[in-house]
Amino acid sequence: MIRQLSGIREYDCLVRVKTSITLPKELLGRLDRVDRNRSALLERAAVAYLAQLERRIRDQKDVEIIDRNAERLNREALDTLDYQRLP
């Protein structure tokens, strides 16, 4: 569970599953300089990364929908511009 405090997520060690990962020592040092709580930092990073991937997938689907409808949308846009022209 992550609680919001003043726009900053606070790590709550309840409802967690313990896991073990292996990371390079240099990366661990860099993580420690950012946040002493590695678990919280890695959780935030994973959540942000997954959100980015989900946005990318959603955006790609939007582009595919627009591409499928491009001709109609372009005709509608030109029609609107013609309508807005001053006499």
Side-chain angles (χ1 to χ4, degrees):
M1 178 179 203
I2 299 174
R3 295 182 296 208
Q4 287 285 95
L5 294 178
S6 320
I8 298 173
R9 289 183 165 194
E10 177 187 334
Y11 184 75
D12 182 348
C13 64
L14 300 176
V15 193
R16 294 284 185 271
V17 176
K18 189 165 182 80
T19 187
S20 175
I21 61 171
T22 303
L23 298 172
K25 188 174 185 176
E26 178 186 320
L27 179 57
L28 287 176
R30 291 172 63 193
L31 293 171
D32 289 343
R33 285 192 295 274
V34 173
D35 190 336
R36 292 182 65 193
N37 186 335
R38 291 177 185 165
S39 293
L41 176 60
L42 291 172
E43 181 178 347
R44 289 192 310 270
V47 168
Y49 178 73
L50 292 172
Q52 177 186 9
L53 288 178
E54 291 164 355
R55 267 192 311 276
R56 191 177 300 151
I57 290 168
R58 185 187 64 237
D59 290 348
Q60 182 58 39
K61 287 179 183 178
D62 289 347
V63 167
E64 290 169 4
I65 292 169
I66 291 169
D67 286 348
R68 279 196 311 269
N69 294 284
E71 281 189 39
R72 180 182 54 81
L73 293 169
N74 287 335
R75 279 193 313 268
E76 289 177 10
L78 290 173
D79 186 47
T80 300
L81 290 172
D82 283 342
Y83 177 78
Q84 293 176 350
R85 259 193 220 145
L86 294 175

